[in-house]
Amino acid sequence: MSAAATTGTPFAWADFPHALERARVVQCALSRVCGACSRPLGRPIAFLADRGEQDRNELHVPPLHRDCAEELLARGDADAQWEVVLTAGFEFIRPAKHDEDRRPRFAPNSLL
């Protein structure tokens, strides 16, 4: 993981842990790069998600390396109630005009 992921602002965030940068989230999805360090993803793929996101299977934090997810979890906001979710793959969901939630989302398809 890069030093920016551990000490600075992670790649996909404008303000960690509160504000994701939409363009960077999309870039992570389409280029299959880590939302923390911006390096290519392997498997397993990790996400940070709260219980409600997990129940809906619609996560907002972009894909991460497992180590990056664990480091971000340790740095994160205690109010977020994030957990690390591991998967072998995911679907990227672009919001439609009629969606109440206009943020890009991720649906893990093979939980580990």
Side-chain angles (χ1 to χ4, degrees):
M1 177 160 45
S2 72
T6 58
T7 60
T9 303
F11 179 72
W13 276 265
D15 176 27
F16 181 80
H18 307 290
L20 287 162
E21 284 191 36
R22 183 184 185 95
R24 292 259 173 110
V25 170
V26 172
Q27 182 180 356
C28 290
L30 299 180
S31 299
R32 297 191 58 82
V33 297
C34 178
C37 70
S38 72
R39 292 181 313 155
L41 290 168
R43 286 199 176 94
I45 299 166
F47 288 93
L48 295 177
D50 65 27
R51 179 55 51 198
E53 290 175 317
Q54 291 178 55
D55 290 347
R56 290 186 308 276
N57 200 40
E58 291 187 349
L59 317 180
H60 294 96
V61 171
L64 304 159
H65 297 108
R66 179 189 295 194
D67 292 345
C68 292
E70 290 172 358
E71 287 195 33
L72 292 179
L73 184 62
R75 284 179 54 188
D77 185 343
D79 294 334
Q81 302 296 317
W82 282 336
E83 297 176 18
V84 176
V85 176
L86 297 177
T87 183
F90 64 88
E91 297 296 322
F92 178 54
I93 304 167
R94 293 179 189 246
K97 288 183 182 181
H98 65 276
D99 287 345
E100 282 185 39
D101 186 352
R102 301 287 297 154
R103 297 173 292 174
R105 299 179 301 279
F106 300 89
N109 57 23
S110 301
L111 295 178
L112 302 175

